[in-house]
Structure formats: structure tokens, C-alpha cells
Amino acid sequence: MTDKQQLNEISSNSSPILLDDEAVIRRIFDHIDTKNTDMGTECWQEPVEHYQSKAHFELELTTLRRQFTIYCPSSALDGPGAYSARDVYGTPIVVVRNKEGAVNAFRNACRHRGVQVAEGCGHTKSFVCPYHAWTYGLDGSLRGVPHEHGFPELDKTQRGLVPIECKEENGLIFVCIDRQDSSVESELLINTVGLIPETHRLHEVLSIELPANWKIVLESFLEGYHIRATHTDTFFPLQFDNLNVVEQFGRNSRLCFPYRAVEKLRDKPVSKWNVDLSLTYVYHLFPNILISNHPGFKAVVVLDPIAVDRTKQTTFIVTGVDADDTDNLALVDSALAVVNAAIDEDRQVIMSGQRGLAANANQHLEFGLFESSIVHFHSTMKALVENR
């Protein structure tokens, strides 16, 4: 099969036909009893050059800019004037909720001298360039130019902030820098239905810049083969080592990480089975998004490639627990503390893996049958880059 055929096959299988919770739990029981796990059908060797080459990194960015991606949960922009600015695939953008409640996205550059008009996040009535105070409305229109007579040929109607495609669906906000394939949009929208309940609110936002290639960061989320070795005191007492249910759908994957507490369901009728305290689902939404459920909250992780050896990881924590429910919020914070401790452990091996590339010990990184979601990611990425 050619890369072009492979890409078409991957893209056409966009509807998420996934096991229901009962089937997942039954497969978990079978794996526990047989000391087994889901395994892929092929291994993969990813060239180390693809983690180090600036030229290859630029090819990836060109490819990814054509993909719709999740920018943030809807609850992160909590009312008119709420905005968020950051780089997406190397492109500075700002996303804002306008006065009517709709969400707009723009290239974050003044139309005068290109200075960014927004930083971080917050609330505003307009965007004012810090250089010469050119002022833009929440709809991106150029509203004010100090000493405007100095620009006699300026047509303000043509000099608003440059828009990029932006959609809000399923409790999430999506952006696309350079759209070329509408099927990618429809696939992503289908695959996010039901992942973020409308009743969930933003609990907190965590952001960190990591000195590592974005693919190394992503790979750490996509297998349970490392649970015992890396998470000895955090996840391993609560979860199983190298025991996962793994499914691919379209360009994406879903991994199930069962808790040891799932054993308690064996003696309960199926009607009483509840996955909330029994397992974590991790959805990898191609290319750079991870959505996972945990006791009391969900996490939306966005991995923004900044440079070939730098990644910004932004994690949005959303919860259905009311802001004044102190008892249940304490439980959320307790569960979040365990997750954050484990993520810190992952970051140590991520950074070590990045440093290890410089040892020149390997021409490629090896991914085995326990790492099928990583194999699926790399095969999809390879097909896209080569057919960009």
C-alpha cells in the first residue's frame, strides 16, 4: 500500500466505532486473568533525525497548520471579551469571545507594524497595540488609529486583524491556520462528541514549556508499558503495569488505563458497573490533543510545538463539581495531585529522552507491539508529511 493510499484509508475511517464500557471492562478482566494486554500488529522505527532536524520540523509545521486542532475548552472563554493568546504551530493567534457570544480567532499581529496585540489570557473590550495604540474591536475590525491623518491612504475596513478559521462545537474551540481539507474538520468534530459535558466548568489551567520535541512529549501519553518503571509511587499502586485496551479510529486512538479498583466490579451486576472510578480513557485526537477522564475531572492537554526541541504543554482541567462544593473539590484536588505528580515523572524521562538523542547511540527509536498507538501516530504523520 502506498503512503497516499494509507492516508486515504486512515482518513476515511473517521467515525469513532469504539467499544462500550461493558465490553472494555470485560476485556480488562480477560487481560487480568491471562496476564495479557492489547497488542499491535507491527513495530515501528522512527528516525532520530525526525526529532532533531529543523528542516523536518518545518515540514511538520506546514502539515499541521492544515489540520483543525483543539485550541481550548469553551469554558476557558467564559463570557464576552474573554480572550486567549498563544502560538499554534508557530503562528501567534488570539481567540476571543465577541459581544454576541460567538468565538473568533485572528493572527496576533497589528496591521501597522506587526506587533502582537494580545498576550496571555483575560478579558478586554478591545485589543490595543502596545506600540502605537492602533485599536481593534472584538470582531477584529480596526476601530482607531491615533493621528489618523498621517495615513491618508489607509482604508480601515481592509486593515482589521487577519482572521483564521475557528469553530465552537461539543464544548471545545477549534482553529485551523491554513485549511485545505474539510474532511479533517468533520472527523475531528465527530470524534469529540460527548467528550466534554456542557455542564463542566474550567477548574484550572496548567502550562509549562518543555525542552523536548513535541513528539517525545506526545509519546509519553500513548502507552502503559512504562507504568511500573516510571510511576512506582504514583500510578502503579493504583493501576496495572502494561495492561491496556487500545483502539484506533481514523487518525486517532483511545487507550484505556484500568485501575486496580476495577476488580470490585466482578461481583456486581452489569447494571451497576461504573467506569468513573475504575479506569481512565485517554483520547489522542490527531495530531497534538489528549483528552482524559479522571475521578471528578477531565483534562484537555494541548501540545504546541515551539521549536524542534521545545514544546509548550497547556492542560485545561474541567469539572462538573460546583465551585462552592468544597468537599468534592477537595477530592478533585487530591486526584489531580496524583496525576500531576505522575506527569512530573513523565517529564523527567521526556527531558532525559531528548538529551539522550545527543548521545548518537541510535539512528532510530524503536516502538513495539505494546506501543501501537504510537505506531499509528507515526504512520499517519509520515503519510501526511510525505503527501503534503
Side-chain angles (χ1 to χ4, degrees), residues 70-113:
I70 294 170
Y71 185 82
C72 67
S74 295
S75 56
L77 299 180
D78 58 358
Y83 72 89
S84 171
R86 72 168 190 269
D87 289 3
V88 175
Y89 304 142
T91 303
I93 73 170
V94 58
V95 181
V96 61
R97 195 175 295 281
N98 64 26
K99 294 178 181 179
E100 291 73 36
V103 176
N104 298 322
F106 305 97
R107 296 178 184 269
N108 188 6
C110 180
R111 300 304 305 282
H112 174 212
R113 300 268 289 275

Coordinates of all heavy atoms in Angstrom, one line a residue, residues 70-113:
I70 N -7.8 21.4 18.4 CA -8.5 22.0 19.6 C -7.6 23.1 20.2 O -6.4 22.8 20.5 CB -8.8 20.9 20.6 CG1 -9.9 19.9 20.0 CG2 -9.4 21.6 21.9 CD1 -10.1 18.7 20.9
Y71 N -8.2 24.2 20.3 CA -7.4 25.3 21.0 C -7.6 25.3 22.5 O -6.7 25.5 23.2 CB -7.9 26.7 20.4 CG -7.1 27.9 20.9 CD1 -5.8 28.2 20.4 CD2 -7.5 28.6 22.0 CE1 -5.1 29.2 20.9 CE2 -6.8 29.7 22.5 CZ -5.6 30.0 21.9 OH -4.8 31.0 22.4
C72 N -8.9 25.2 22.9 CA -9.1 25.1 24.4 C -10.6 24.7 24.6 O -11.4 24.7 23.6 CB -8.9 26.5 25.0 SG -10.1 27.8 24.5
P73 N -11.0 24.3 25.8 CA -12.4 24.1 26.1 C -13.2 25.4 26.0 O -12.6 26.5 26.3 CB -12.4 23.6 27.5 CG -11.0 23.2 27.8 CD -10.1 24.1 27.0
S74 N -14.4 25.3 25.7 CA -15.3 26.5 25.6 C -15.3 27.3 26.9 O -15.3 28.5 26.9 CB -16.7 26.1 25.2 OG -16.8 25.6 23.9
S75 N -15.2 26.5 28.0 CA -15.3 27.2 29.3 C -14.1 28.0 29.7 O -14.1 28.8 30.6 CB -15.5 26.1 30.4 OG -14.5 25.1 30.4
A76 N -13.0 27.9 28.9 CA -11.9 28.7 29.1 C -12.1 30.2 28.7 O -11.4 31.1 29.1 CB -10.6 28.2 28.4
L77 N -13.1 30.4 27.8 CA -13.5 31.7 27.4 C -14.9 31.9 27.9 O -15.9 31.6 27.3 CB -13.5 31.9 25.9 CG -12.1 31.7 25.2 CD1 -12.2 31.9 23.7 CD2 -11.1 32.6 25.8
D78 N -15.0 32.5 29.1 CA -16.2 32.4 29.9 C -17.2 33.5 29.7 O -18.2 33.6 30.5 CB -15.9 32.2 31.4 CG -15.0 33.4 31.9 OD1 -14.7 34.3 31.1 OD2 -14.7 33.4 33.1
G79 N -17.0 34.3 28.8 CA -18.0 35.4 28.5 C -17.5 36.4 27.5 O -16.3 36.3 27.1
P80 N -18.3 37.3 27.0 CA -17.9 38.3 26.1 C -16.6 39.0 26.5 O -16.5 39.5 27.7 CB -19.1 39.3 26.0 CG -20.3 38.4 26.3 CD -19.8 37.5 27.4
G81 N -15.7 39.1 25.6 CA -14.4 39.8 25.9 C -13.3 38.9 26.5 O -12.2 39.3 26.6
A82 N -13.7 37.6 26.8 CA -12.7 36.7 27.3 C -11.8 36.3 26.1 O -12.3 36.0 25.0 CB -13.4 35.5 27.8
Y83 N -10.5 36.3 26.3 CA -9.6 36.0 25.2 C -8.4 35.2 25.7 O -8.1 35.1 26.9 CB -9.0 37.3 24.6 CG -8.0 38.0 25.5 CD1 -6.6 37.7 25.4 CD2 -8.4 39.0 26.4 CE1 -5.7 38.3 26.2 CE2 -7.5 39.6 27.2 CZ -6.2 39.3 27.1 OH -5.2 39.9 27.9
S84 N -7.8 34.5 24.7 CA -6.6 33.7 25.0 C -5.6 33.9 23.8 O -6.1 33.7 22.7 CB -6.9 32.3 25.2 OG -5.8 31.4 25.3
A85 N -4.4 34.1 24.1 CA -3.4 34.3 23.0 C -2.2 33.3 23.2 O -1.7 33.2 24.3 CB -2.9 35.7 23.0
R86 N -1.8 32.6 22.2 CA -0.6 31.8 22.2 C -0.3 31.4 20.8 O -1.1 31.6 19.9 CB -0.8 30.6 23.1 CG -1.7 29.5 22.6 CD -1.5 28.2 23.5 NE -2.2 27.1 22.9 CZ -3.5 26.7 23.2 NH1 -4.2 27.4 24.0 NH2 -4.0 25.7 22.6
D87 N 0.9 30.7 20.7 CA 1.3 30.3 19.3 C 0.7 28.9 19.1 O 0.7 28.0 19.9 CB 2.8 30.2 19.3 CG 3.5 31.5 19.2 OD1 2.8 32.5 19.3 OD2 4.7 31.5 19.1
V88 N 0.2 28.7 17.9 CA -0.3 27.4 17.4 C 0.5 27.1 16.1 O 0.5 27.8 15.1 CB -1.8 27.5 17.1 CG1 -2.3 26.2 16.5 CG2 -2.6 27.8 18.3
Y89 N 1.3 26.0 16.2 CA 2.1 25.5 15.1 C 3.0 26.7 14.6 O 3.2 26.9 13.5 CB 1.3 25.0 14.0 CG 0.4 23.8 14.4 CD1 -0.9 23.7 13.9 CD2 0.8 22.9 15.3 CE1 -1.7 22.7 14.3 CE2 0.0 21.9 15.7 CZ -1.3 21.8 15.2 OH -2.1 20.7 15.6
G90 N 3.6 27.4 15.6 CA 4.5 28.5 15.3 C 3.8 29.8 14.8 O 4.5 30.8 14.5
T91 N 2.5 29.9 14.8 CA 1.8 31.0 14.4 C 1.1 31.7 15.6 O 0.3 31.1 16.2 CB 0.7 30.7 13.4 OG1 1.3 30.0 12.3 CG2 0.0 31.9 12.9
P92 N 1.5 33.0 15.9 CA 0.8 33.6 17.1 C -0.7 33.9 16.7 O -0.9 34.5 15.6 CB 1.6 34.9 17.2 CG 2.9 34.7 16.5 CD 2.6 33.8 15.4
I93 N -1.6 33.5 17.5 CA -3.0 33.8 17.3 C -3.6 34.2 18.6 O -3.1 34.0 19.7 CB -3.8 32.6 16.7 CG1 -4.0 31.5 17.8 CG2 -3.1 32.0 15.5 CD1 -5.0 30.4 17.3
V94 N -4.8 34.9 18.5 CA -5.6 35.3 19.6 C -7.0 34.8 19.3 O -7.5 35.0 18.2 CB -5.5 36.8 19.9 CG1 -5.9 37.6 18.7 CG2 -6.3 37.1 21.2
V95 N -7.6 34.2 20.3 CA -9.0 33.7 20.2 C -9.8 34.5 21.2 O -9.4 34.6 22.4 CB -9.1 32.2 20.5 CG1 -10.5 31.7 20.3 CG2 -8.2 31.4 19.5
V96 N -11.0 35.0 20.8 CA -11.8 35.9 21.7 C -13.3 35.6 21.5 O -13.7 35.2 20.4 CB -11.5 37.4 21.4 CG1 -11.8 37.7 20.0 CG2 -12.2 38.3 22.4
R97 N -14.0 35.7 22.6 CA -15.5 35.6 22.5 C -16.0 37.0 22.3 O -15.7 37.9 23.2 CB -16.0 35.0 23.8 CG -17.5 34.5 23.6 CD -18.0 33.7 24.8 NE -17.3 32.5 25.0 CZ -17.6 31.3 24.4 NH1 -18.5 31.4 23.4 NH2 -16.9 30.2 24.6
N98 N -16.8 37.2 21.3 CA -17.3 38.6 21.0 C -18.5 39.0 21.8 O -19.0 38.2 22.6 CB -17.5 38.8 19.5 CG -18.6 37.9 18.9 OD1 -19.5 37.5 19.7 ND2 -18.5 37.6 17.6
K99 N -19.0 40.1 21.6 CA -20.2 40.6 22.3 C -21.4 39.8 22.2 O -22.3 39.7 23.1 CB -20.5 42.1 21.9 CG -19.4 43.1 22.3 CD -19.7 44.5 21.8 CE -18.6 45.4 22.2 NZ -18.9 46.8 21.7
E100 N -21.5 39.1 21.0 CA -22.7 38.2 20.8 C -22.5 36.8 21.4 O -23.4 36.0 21.3 CB -23.0 38.2 19.3 CG -23.5 39.5 18.7 CD -22.4 40.5 18.6 OE1 -21.3 40.2 18.3 OE2 -22.8 41.7 18.8
G101 N -21.3 36.6 21.9 CA -21.1 35.3 22.5 C -20.4 34.3 21.5 O -20.0 33.2 22.0
A102 N -20.2 34.7 20.3 CA -19.5 33.8 19.3 C -18.0 33.9 19.5 O -17.5 34.9 20.1 CB -19.9 34.1 17.9
V103 N -17.3 32.9 19.0 CA -15.8 32.9 19.2 C -15.2 33.2 17.8 O -15.5 32.7 16.8 CB -15.3 31.5 19.7 CG1 -13.8 31.5 19.8 CG2 -15.9 31.3 21.1
N104 N -14.2 34.1 17.9 CA -13.4 34.5 16.7 C -11.9 34.2 17.0 O -11.5 34.3 18.1 CB -13.6 36.0 16.3 CG -15.0 36.3 16.0 OD1 -15.7 35.6 15.3 ND2 -15.5 37.5 16.4
A105 N -11.2 33.9 15.9 CA -9.7 33.8 16.0 C -9.0 34.6 15.0 O -9.5 34.8 13.8 CB -9.4 32.3 15.9
F106 N -7.9 35.2 15.4 CA -7.2 36.1 14.5 C -5.7 35.8 14.6 O -5.2 35.3 15.6 CB -7.4 37.6 14.8 CG -8.9 37.9 14.9 CD1 -9.5 38.0 16.1 CD2 -9.5 38.3 13.7 CE1 -10.9 38.3 16.1 CE2 -10.9 38.6 13.8 CZ -11.6 38.6 15.0
R107 N -4.9 36.1 13.5 CA -3.5 36.2 13.6 C -3.1 37.3 14.6 O -3.6 38.4 14.4 CB -2.9 36.4 12.2 CG -3.2 35.1 11.3 CD -2.6 35.3 9.9 NE -3.0 34.2 9.1 CZ -2.3 33.1 8.9 NH1 -1.1 33.0 9.6 NH2 -2.7 32.1 8.2
N108 N -2.3 37.1 15.5 CA -2.0 38.0 16.6 C -0.9 39.0 16.1 O 0.3 38.9 16.6 CB -1.6 37.3 17.8 CG -1.5 38.2 19.1 OD1 -1.8 39.3 19.0 ND2 -1.0 37.6 20.2
A109 N -1.3 39.9 15.3 CA -0.3 40.9 14.7 C -1.0 42.1 14.3 O -2.0 42.1 13.6 CB 0.5 40.3 13.6
C110 N -0.6 43.3 14.8 CA -1.1 44.5 14.4 C -0.9 44.8 12.9 O 0.1 44.4 12.4 CB -0.5 45.7 15.2 SG -1.1 47.3 14.8
R111 N -1.9 45.4 12.3 CA -1.8 45.6 10.8 C -0.9 46.8 10.5 O -0.8 47.2 9.3 CB -3.2 45.8 10.2 CG -4.1 44.5 10.4 CD -3.5 43.3 9.9 NE -3.1 43.3 8.5 CZ -4.0 43.2 7.5 NH1 -5.3 43.1 7.8 NH2 -3.6 43.3 6.2
H112 N -0.3 47.5 11.5 CA 0.5 48.6 11.3 C 2.0 48.1 11.2 O 2.6 48.2 10.1 CB 0.4 49.6 12.5 CG 1.3 50.7 12.4 ND1 1.8 51.3 13.6 CD2 1.9 51.4 11.4 CE1 2.6 52.3 13.3 NE2 2.7 52.4 11.9
R113 N 2.5 47.6 12.3 CA 3.9 47.2 12.3 C 4.1 45.8 12.8 O 5.2 45.3 13.0 CB 4.8 48.2 13.1 CG 4.7 49.6 12.6 CD 5.9 49.9 11.7 NE 7.1 50.0 12.4 CZ 7.6 51.0 13.1 NH1 6.9 52.2 13.1 NH2 8.7 51.0 13.7

